[in-house]
Amino acid sequence: MKQDEIRRKLISGTIHVIARDGLDKATTKQIGIETSINEAYIYRCFEDKEDLFAKTFDTLDDELVAKALTHVPVMYIHQMEYEMRCWAFFVSIWKFILGNRDKCLAFIRYYYSPYFVKYSAKTHKTRFIPLVEKFKDAFLEEANVWMILNHILNTMLDFAVKVYDGDVSDTPDTAEHVFRVIYHSVKQYFKKHEERDS
């Protein structure tokens, strides 16, 4: 097995272990067992466990941003009402999050941990720059688009956990409710229609 393949397998195994057991129980031994790869290979492919966690998060973060960017064009369909564009964009990301339970749980557990602050916050912000650039024309000049996008992400993740935990059902009504919570909290920052679509 080539080193790149081993790295990918270790990252995939780390996602499953973190999603299942949490960060505290995601030991290198457990990841080795999950992947059927000798634990020593972790230290050949990564600096240490923290680096493996960070690279795993980077992989998930890259995938999320790439997914979001593929759906940005819907925001520029001027024939659609703006709220409908936002809904179409939201639904694509919401379905992606709920359709990737282990990835989402691993992302959430790392994102809300001290590891994220120490190892990944800076690169996460840099990674979101293309999305900020794509969305900034929709918002008032004084709006902090980075903070708005983070608010949207945090709200979606919070509700996704409620779905995973069985507190709410994965239904169209739930999706509609999550969208309404987000839309009504950010619409005050939108430019007027004629400014936004000019």
Side-chain angles (χ1 to χ4, degrees), residues 103-155:
K103 288 180 177 182
C104 186
L105 283 174
F107 184 99
I108 288 167
R109 287 178 173 157
Y110 186 90
Y111 184 60
Y112 292 117
S113 77
Y115 288 109
F116 173 77
V117 175
K118 187 171 182 180
Y119 299 106
S120 302
K122 196 181 227 180
T123 54
H124 172 71
K125 189 168 185 178
T126 301
R127 194 172 286 115
F128 267 69
I129 288 172
L131 271 178
V132 171
E133 290 300 312
K134 294 282 186 186
F135 278 98
K136 71 179 182 182
D137 288 341
F139 293 101
L140 297 169
E141 198 172 313
E142 62 271 22
N144 186 329
V145 180
W146 160 248
M147 292 297 291
I148 292 169
L149 292 181
N150 265 275
H151 165 71
I152 292 168
L153 176 62
N154 286 327
T155 304

